[in-house]
Amino acid sequence: MTEMRIRQGGCACGQLTFTARGEPKRVGLCHCMTCRKISGSPFSAFVIFAADQVTISGEFRGWSATPAVEDCFCPVCGSQVFDRDCDSEIEIRLGAFDEPNLFTPTYEAWAKRREHWLRTPDLESFAENRSAES
């Protein structure tokens, strides 16, 4: 029998934590203006799990830049830990996991907004959003 992988993480102050079980649906980078502005970085790195694979503990606040996605953060330290969307998925920031090097992105979205100095070899690249089929 195969053992289910369990990965944990949370915010900077430890008030908001999560446990992700099993394997993710996908891992990617996003260069869109919303991700850039929210993170204060030139891109966001994330992993997508089905919502029922993730357990959240602690208090969080959410706000929405678009009707389909709620960005969630710790109300104590302000860490942006995850996003929830209307398709029953949860997008967890790679930096929120307790361990580094758990996931490797396989694609990038909004590549037309990528900083010219940033190289992302071996990634499937979408000029804007990836389609639901990909």
Side-chain angles (χ1 to χ4, degrees):
M1 179 178 212
T2 305
E3 190 173 321
M4 182 180 294
R5 297 271 328 248
I6 296 176
R7 300 168 184 99
Q8 298 178 314
C11 67
C13 73
Q15 184 278 138
L16 175 59
T17 61
F18 63 84
T19 300
R21 297 170 307 284
E23 295 306 313
K25 295 172 90 173
R26 60 190 178 279
V27 183
L29 304 176
C30 184
H31 305 277
C32 78
M33 291 308 291
T34 301
C35 285
R36 293 168 64 96
K37 297 291 185 174
I38 288 171
S39 69
S41 297
F43 63 91
S44 177
F46 54 85
V47 59
I48 307 277
F49 283 94
D52 63 1
Q53 290 179 267
V54 180
T55 303
I56 306 293
S57 299
E59 185 180 352
F60 63 89
R61 298 277 192 278
W63 70 278
S64 184
T66 64
V69 178
E70 179 184 34
D71 297 296
C72 300
F73 61 94
C74 174
V76 177
C77 67
S79 295
Q80 309 217 327
V81 179
F82 64 94
D83 297 344
R84 298 187 299 185
D85 73 17
C86 62
D87 293 328
S88 301
E89 293 180 336
I90 187 164
E91 176 182 294
I92 303 173
R93 305 288 196 278
L94 292 186
F97 285 88
D98 291 341
E99 294 179 54
N101 301 308
L102 294 174
F103 306 101
T104 301
T106 59
Y107 73 96
E108 64 176 342
W110 286 91
K112 71 181 190 180
R113 297 208 188 264
R114 181 188 333 114
E115 294 287 334
H116 68 88
W117 49 262
L118 183 62
R119 305 290 179 240
T120 55
D122 301 325
L123 294 180
E124 184 175 11
S125 189
F126 300 92
E128 294 184 358
N129 253 351
R130 62 179 269 291
S131 68
E133 297 83 42
S134 53

